[in-house]
Amino acid sequence: MKMLNIGIAGAGVAGLCAGAGLAKAGHQVQIFDQFDTPSPVGSGLMIQPVGQSVLDIMGCLPQARSFGAKIDDLHGTVSGHPFPVLNVAYDPDHMTGETGLAMHRSALFQVLLDAATDAGVQLRPGHKVSGITTSPQRQLEFDDARKSEGFDLVIDAAGSGSPISPMTAKPLPYGALWGTVDRVDVPGIPFNRLTQRYHRAQHMAGILPLGTMPGQTAEKIAIFWSLKREDLKSWQNAPIENWLDDVDRIWPEGAPFFRQITTHHQMTPAFYSHGTLRKWHAPGLIHIGDAAHSASPQLGQGANMALLDAWALVMALEHSDNLPKALRIAQKMRRRHVTTYQSMSRFFTSMYQSDSRILPLIRDWILAPPANIPFVRRQLSQIASGSLISPLRETAIKL
């Protein structure tokens, strides 16, 4: 295929990863972002082994590991319950050496930004995308009435609220408050683990070690607290001490982390939705990441899905002789993996974030006990790592 002139909407995980890979392959790439200085939004995330494989192919994994924290297992408890209700190890048989990699969003952003700029991507900040033209070439439209030049291909990586994605997503009733605090040593809370505490399915508090942030040396911790969408304003209007007292009642061991929060502004609310485009592509256009499919972060796969979508597109363009075929292949490579993990996310989300009193009992007394059976532990490990089924269906290239 000839080298393409490509415009990307959104300087997030999907956009930067796709831009870096495509520019390195010789395509001319511009990334448009609404912020004057492109920057990440949010706190912590998990790069699962499947996502790490993409960073490894890109040559970014050593830099990512220099920032992040290795996570060996996921552990969740309910006060007074006789055994953990979440107990998942990445390498339960001590054979693969796989771990999760927890990072602050700013660290992953820096890694991908460096890769994109090194590959020759042109960053175009201060361009808020509002629409897209259809012919003769695709042009991005911006909210100040400007238009971009014409592109052979536009990649929509502008997230679940993308103005150029036709996806209609269903908002989820629960989201989370996220914050970043300093690491402090607390007995019983290891720093190679995602640690969570639940109160039925209505409250979930968690601690995720993050490693370091760009330009800093102190290690950080992400804290999160589940919250109903409709309760956000009342949380913002109440004294911060009220919320901290709630956390203490559910999880007193977490106080040294959560008590570092002194104002509401230190916590960022994040709310989620479930939705999927039936068809990710149109002539000269493809949607990837949350612009094509969105889900709750219950399985910790969001950034990994974005990385995999981006790399599927890079591979599809490399192995196709025309653009329409490449866009079809890119979706085929990802369809089964996305469908599987979205279905599991819908199933598990209600177990951990809902008003149900029955589902958490099923979680605690029916689903949790078999987690110690070796076969089940291996299956749970594959779910967490993102490898329950092949994340990139490379046979699609031959279809």
Side-chain angles (χ1 to χ4, degrees):
M1 188 188 301
K2 69 171 186 176
M3 294 297 102
L4 303 176
N5 185 19
I6 299 172
I8 300 178
V13 174
L16 289 172
C17 180
L22 293 170
K24 192 172 183 179
H27 301 284
Q28 183 178 337
V29 181
Q30 297 181 59
I31 299 180
F32 298 87
D33 196 88
Q34 63 180 316
F35 298 109
D36 291 334
T37 301
S39 59
V41 177
S43 180
L45 50 76
M46 286 281 287
I47 307 298
Q48 310 293 3
V50 292
Q52 293 175 48
S53 68
V54 175
L55 296 179
D56 192 24
I57 294 169
M58 296 175 66
C60 298
L61 187 56
Q63 185 186 7
R65 284 177 171 168
S66 73
F67 285 119
K70 289 185 178 181
I71 303 298
D72 293 321
D73 63 322
L74 317 175
H75 195 262
T77 58
V78 175
S79 180
H81 201 66
F83 48 79
V85 298
L86 175 67
N87 187 18
V88 180
Y90 282 100
D91 185 13
D93 299 320
H94 306 288
M95 295 179 62
T96 66
E98 287 188 341
T99 67
L101 182 64
M103 303 178 69
H104 195 276
R105 287 183 181 272
S106 63
L108 180 60
F109 175 82
Q110 189 63 56
V111 168
L112 295 175
L113 180 63
D114 289 347
T117 53
D118 289 347
V121 172
Q122 289 182 275
L123 291 172
R124 304 291 300 276
H127 288 72
K128 185 175 182 180
V129 174
S130 60
I132 188 170
T133 63
T134 56
S135 62
Q137 281 189 308
R138 293 286 190 171
Q139 291 177 283
L140 287 168
E141 300 172 331
F142 307 107
D143 66 345
D144 57 4
R146 289 179 295 171
K147 290 184 181 180
S148 71
E149 63 185 273
F151 293 109
D152 300 314
L153 172 64
V154 166
I155 301 171
D156 176 16
S160 58
S162 169
I164 58 176
S165 173
M167 183 176 69
T168 301
K170 180 181 179 181
L172 297 176
Y174 276 82
L177 301 168
W178 285 85
T180 304
V181 299
D182 294 332
R183 170 176 166 168
V184 290
D185 292 330
V186 176
I189 297 184
F191 291 106
N192 62 339
R193 169 182 287 175
L194 167 65
T195 307
Q196 297 178 338
R197 174 62 63 89
Y198 317 114
H199 175 65
R200 294 196 290 267
Q202 293 173 314
H203 295 297
M204 174 172 62
I207 292 170
L208 177 65
L210 295 178
T212 59
M213 296 167 62
Q216 300 183 19
T217 57
E219 293 189 32
K220 298 293 183 179
I221 300 289
I223 59 173
F224 53 92
W225 172 263
S226 63
L227 186 75
K228 290 189 75 172
R229 190 183 295 262
E230 64 186 39
D231 292 338
L232 176 60
K233 285 192 179 298
S234 60
W235 176 82
Q236 292 171 329
N237 292 331
I240 195 71
E241 193 68 26
N242 292 5
W243 170 64
L244 292 171
D245 288 343
D246 288 340
V247 179
D248 287 349
R249 280 191 291 271
I250 293 172
W251 196 17
E253 298 86 351
F257 303 101
F258 284 86
R259 285 279 169 183
Q260 294 182 49
I261 301 300
T262 57
T263 70
H264 295 85
H265 298 296
Q266 291 174 267
M267 300 294 289
T268 300
F271 293 98
Y272 315 106
S273 59
H274 277 158
T276 308
L277 286 178
R278 184 184 63 83
K279 186 177 181 182
W280 298 8
H281 53 87
L285 171 67
I286 187 167
H287 310 276
I288 63 174
D290 284 350
H293 47 82
S294 62
S296 83
Q298 192 64 53
L299 296 178
Q301 298 293 332
N304 304 274
M305 293 289 183
L307 291 169
L308 290 164
D309 286 358
W311 209 252
L313 179 58
V314 172
M315 293 178 64
L317 285 169
E318 179 183 353
H319 292 282
S320 302
D321 55 10
N322 65 79
L323 182 56
K325 179 181 178 181
L327 301 186
R328 292 194 300 271
I329 288 174
Q331 181 176 356
K332 286 179 180 178
M333 290 178 71
R334 294 287 297 127
R335 179 183 290 144
R336 291 197 297 192
H337 189 258
V338 167
T339 300
T340 299
Y341 273 85
Q342 283 199 307
S343 299
M344 288 192 295
S345 177
R346 288 189 180 94
F347 174 76
F348 284 111
T349 295
S350 58
M351 297 281 178
Y352 292 89
Q353 288 184 298
S354 71
D355 293 327
S356 173
R357 290 180 176 261
I358 300 300
L359 291 177
L361 293 176
I362 295 173
R363 174 196 70 194
D364 298 348
W365 295 102
I366 297 177
L367 298 182
N372 290 317
I373 300 172
F375 171 77
V376 176
R377 282 180 64 80
R378 286 191 288 269
Q379 293 298 303
L380 291 173
S381 172
Q382 289 185 315
I383 290 173
S385 69
S387 59
L388 186 65
I389 66 170
S390 176
L392 291 175
R393 188 186 174 201
E394 295 187 27
T395 55
I397 293 174
K398 303 175 183 178
L399 296 180

